[in-house]
Amino acid sequence: MASQETAGHKYVYDFAEGNKELKDLLGGKGANLAEMTNLGLPVPPGFTITTEACQAYLATGAEPAGLGEQIASHLAALEAGMGKRLGDPHDPLLVSVRSGAKFSMPGMMETVLNVGLNDESVHGLARQASGINSGGGTNSASGTDSADAAGADRFAWDSYRRLIQMFGKTVCNVPGEEFEHALDAAKRAKGTANDLDLDGTDLRALVEAYKKIFAKHTGRDFPQEPREQLDLAIRAVFESWNAERAVLYRRQERIPADLGTAVNVVAMVFGNLGPDSGTGVAFTRDPASGAQGIYGDYLANAQGEDVVAGIRNTVPLQELEQLDKRSYDELLGIMARLEEHYLDLCDIEFTIERGKLWMLQTRVGKRTAAAAFVIAGQLVDEGLIDLDEALHRVNGAQLAQLMFPRFKLDHEFQPVAKGIGASPGAAFGKVVFTSARAVELAAEGEQVILVRRETNPDDLNGMIAAQGILTSRGGKTSHAAVVARGMGKTCVSGADELDIDVPGRMFTVAGQIVREGDTVSIDGTTGKVYLGEVPVMPSEVVQYFEGNLDPAETDDVLVKAVHRIMGHADAKRRLAVRTNADTGTDAARARRFGAEGIGLCRTEHMFLGDRRELVERLILARTEEERETALAALLPLQRADFVEIFREMDGLPVTVRLIDPPLHEFLPPLEQLAVNVAVAQERGEDVAKEEALLAAVRRMHESNPMLGLRGVRLGLVIPGLFAMQVRAIVEAAVECAQQGGTPKPEIMVPLVGAVQELETVRAEAEKIIAEVTRGCGVEVLIGTMIEVPRAALTAGQIAEAAQFFSFGTNDLTQMGWGFSRDDVEGAFFWRYLELGIFGISPFESIDRDGVGRLVRIAAEEGRAARPELKLGVCGEHGGDPESVHFFHEVGLDYVSCSPFRVPVARLEAGRAAIETAGSDSR
Ligand code: PEP
Ligand code: MG
């Protein structure tokens, strides 16, 4: 900072000195005004005060040395160019003082217009407006006949009152409503509701009233000295960087807090000088659909703020052709020029002052997800950009948006509650409160929404049967959210306005009672909940990925664009993309979506439903014989599961993880069992089995089950369990191979923290593999998850016993941070996000500095010990766009994610490859 404060540092740039690459220094608006100036487009003259000046001001509370002088000399140049002096009583130059940060923060910071007006120059402005002084400057281009003296007088006093109002509010914190009240009072006195009915005399009186309000709140008169007005306005724009709403916006949009804003000082041009003046916005293509054409709005005889205030209705931009053909044609020419120059959709703000067109702003315009793909594709067709650039301009979040069905919300549907959009999509159905009922109704062909306080593994069947899941508790990594995302099923979690009464089969929301069987609609993107059935439209992009829409045949421009860009991403990416799938159906869908194998097949889901009883028998076994019988009963069922999956993924690697969760998760909850036993005893019934179960549940109870007897520890403690699973996997592979398939099984051991654990499991597994394969050509890899911090830190040792690592970043995040993934999001993440401790949940996007460092260390040390070690990730982060870039950088071989996120991961892996300089080919 010190060097910037030396008098020699350049803090002010004339528009002619900048260009569009200087956004860091000049902000987006300043850089683009400079670019347009240098293109020779009609930009009102002006200069930009840099973000560095703002940073220095915010750090010290004072303008950096030299800034005042630099402003003076640029102002002098501006005055010379315009042939007017700022605030000259006879022929004033007026300027606007506008904020403009590197990233657009619409409406978050301040702007002051008409700086330079005072009790004297207001008369000079009236003379200018009536044409008396129209020798040069901004209003020289057209005739001087359009404003009569009364109109000019009105215009000048209206401009002055706008200055006092904006300056008072923005620079001196005068409560805005006081000005509004005075304006309303003036209109009431005149018997009108329309600002335009106030004449010069009314507005002059209003200026007096405004000045009194100003003096009352600030203890001083409204500053008459133009340069003082300018300096105070610049200072206010600097300070607006730290206004509460700006701080909040930055946090939400993840814009760094230390960038600061630039300030643009621009000669005023007026769109409110009569019917031959006006203001408008324009887009070079439709920002909603991407379609080519002229899109925009125009408002005659108005300033930009009138458009925002919505006082009068704008007309479609095309109507400008009738109103002012010359300006319209010029604008169209400029729009074409800007697109050619920026090679992208531009949005534009312009003003026409008495028939003379002025460009006030342009930037590469925001657009919907669909428009992003369509426009990128069009620009490639037009030869303006190449496919790398097209890929760079779209992202996974946009693709994800396009993959979910949407509500058609053009009706008068109002949400009754808002939770967390936990798994996107739009679903409606009859409310049910238990999984059993969900399954029952679904079997009868009904669409249902499963409503729970929170879900648990027991709800799996209900979740599968339901169209969507709605919970009143839990965040984005709650069981409901994670499982629903995995299934691609719509879920709203944490809708805490819902008061759910499960036994009563009803919930109350917004004073209404919703009973089982009533219909609700849930939007998993916005988290909104509606009563009744909101119509849903399917996603054409999913139809395409499913193979139901041929991009060569369809007229759908979006599908064509997605197809083309995905193809390029696949050609460029180094990371392979696998899927997390536990069923043949999921595996098949993921394959259609482009998955190149399974990175995580969780086997615990295979122990639920009607197999639960067999698991109970295993847990309760008192003799070796009983245990072996239970395992023997499970073996063929498991084998059949794996055969189905290997078939769907034939020729591609399938990583099967041995059972991970604590076994008591497969038994009924302790409280429920205790009650059942007590009630049955009371009735004198035979409770021997329930008592045995209860005793087992008590025995296995853990205070911290996630840190308890699970993962590899189970395999080492429960004899035969892992062996049964290994046998089932290998037998399934052999069966597939014998039928002509090419199964590629990979056995993965969960929760390893020490190489000895892995070595023990591996020794047993290798024996089974040798025995079952008997040289039939099926190769089985053995590897481990890296999901315990100790495993990451001893990866060099563990790699000696592992053919692959798969990072379980869910557990690694849980254990790295030391917080429970099932509990914390609802409990305190909101506060952490508010305080900026993290910008996004580390369960959603990888924490690069902490958990990411563990991944990096393990990848490096693992590869150093075993260069051919295969590295992948199968935690939720494998489908998160930001995290995919990180895994690319760290050098993993693949990411694995839920089937619906496979296309997103493919796209982002492609983007990561083109964005990382020097990335090599796969
Ligand atoms: C993980 O921990 O990242 C993982 C994939 O395993 P699970 O979520 O099943 O614990
Ligand atoms: Mg895990």
Side-chain angles (χ1 to χ4, degrees), residues 362-446:
T362 193
R363 65 185 165 197
V364 168
K366 294 211 159 71
R367 65 207 69 187
T368 61
F373 277 89
V374 170
I375 292 172
Q378 285 168 354
L379 293 172
V380 173
D381 288 339
E382 291 163 28
L384 292 178
I385 61 173
D386 63 14
L387 273 166
D388 270 7
E389 181 61 23
L391 179 55
H392 176 67
R393 289 187 184 183
V394 295
N395 62 51
Q398 290 165 337
L399 183 62
Q401 267 185 37
L402 295 174
M403 289 182 64
F404 289 97
R406 301 186 294 278
F407 279 136
K408 274 197 238 167
L409 268 177
D410 38 1
H411 312 59
E412 59 289 355
F413 283 103
Q414 288 303 321
V416 288
K418 187 169 182 312
I420 293 164
S423 179
F428 64 82
K430 292 189 170 164
V431 168
V432 292
F433 294 92
T434 62
S435 283
R437 191 73 184 128
V439 172
E440 227 170 83
L441 282 189
E444 289 167 20
E446 297 282 4

Side-chain angles (χ1 to χ4, degrees), residues 482 580 600 602 604 657 660-661 706 710 748 750-751 785-787 806-815 821 873-877:
V482 173
N580 294 357
L600 172 63
R602 290 180 168 100
E604 50 270 20
R657 182 179 72 184
D660 180 27
M706 288 304 254
R710 54 174 287 221
M748 179 155 77
L751 223 75
M785 297 201 60
I786 300 288
E787 52 182 345
S806 176
F807 291 96
T809 46
N810 303 332
D811 270 307
L812 203 54
T813 301
Q814 162 165 273
M815 296 190 215
R821 65 204 240 207
V873 57
C874 62
E876 278 285 298
H877 305 86

